[in-house]
Amino acid sequence: MATVRLAALLGSINVGGNRLKMADLRAALEAAGFANVATVTASGNVLFDGDPALRSEYPARFAEVIAETFDIATFAVVTTREGLLGAVAENPFADVGADNLVHVHFLEGQPGPEAFDQLASDHEGRGSERLAPGTAALHIDFVDSAANSKLTGPFLLRRLGCRGTARNIRSIRRIAEAMA
């Protein structure tokens, strides 16, 4: 089995009451058979060595291990270093907005253009954020602050039809650097 370095971006870890120590997460994933596990920052960014042919199976396995071990319902978007850097490259706000305010909302799937149009229409007038569709991603420039944004997970899920987990540009670059 040829392995590559992969990143699992976990949703809802260390936000909204789902507190989890990264050392405990690493230990649980290693016990479940994941290889060369590392974490980057404390918000559910897991690096591991995996078989690229099994990439589509890893998200369910991560969710299962975390639910069984920590009683936390989560999901994972699994990507490569190239996938992370590609998401930054396609983000139209990455070079014009602040790295801590420009985010990639990594999605479990690829919504159709009509879903993005509906999101943009429903969001109009609700905040100063700028939105752009991406490859299995939504690019968001929070402009002033993400703290009081009305672009909540449930709001996005209803419009896009799939869950996602956001990382700012600074974090994405940090994760990609750790994978090099």
Side-chain angles (χ1 to χ4, degrees), residues 3 10 17 34 100 120 164 176:
T3 62
L10 305 175
F34 285 96
N100 63 325

Side-chain angles (χ1 to χ4, degrees), residues 86-169:
V88 171
E90 78 171 13
N91 188 319
F93 315 119
D95 292 327
V96 295
D99 283 355
N100 63 325
L101 297 177
V102 175
H103 287 65
V104 176
H105 196 77
F106 293 92
L107 302 172
E108 288 182 299
Q110 180 66 51
E114 65 285 346
F116 284 113
D117 292 345
Q118 186 65 54
L119 171 63
S121 174
D122 290 352
H123 181 63
E124 186 143 349
R126 291 175 52 98
S128 61
E129 301 90 355
R130 297 184 296 169
L131 309 173
T135 305
L138 172 66
H139 302 295
I140 305 171
D141 181 357
F142 284 100
V143 183
D144 300 315
S145 170
N148 297 317
S149 176
K150 294 180 181 171
L151 287 173
T152 63
F155 181 85
L156 295 172
L157 176 61
R158 281 192 302 276
R159 275 80 183 171
L160 298 178
C162 60
R163 295 178 295 182
T165 184
R167 301 294 185 277
N168 68 37
I169 296 298

Side-chain angles (χ1 to χ4, degrees), residues 29-102:
L29 293 171
E30 288 168 352
F34 285 96
N36 197 18
V37 177
T39 54
V40 181
T41 70
S43 55
N45 306 305
V46 178
L47 307 182
F48 67 103
D49 293 342
D51 183 343
L54 301 176
R55 190 169 139 193
S56 65
E57 297 176 22
Y58 290 129
R61 185 73 181 116
F62 271 91
E64 177 184 312
V65 169
I66 294 167
E68 289 175 359
T69 308
F70 304 105
D71 197 30
I72 294 175
T74 189
F75 65 97
V77 173
V78 176
T79 189
T80 61
R81 182 175 191 272
E82 293 74 23
L84 291 169
L85 295 174
V88 171
E90 78 171 13
N91 188 319
F93 315 119
D95 292 327
V96 295
D99 283 355
N100 63 325
L101 297 177
V102 175

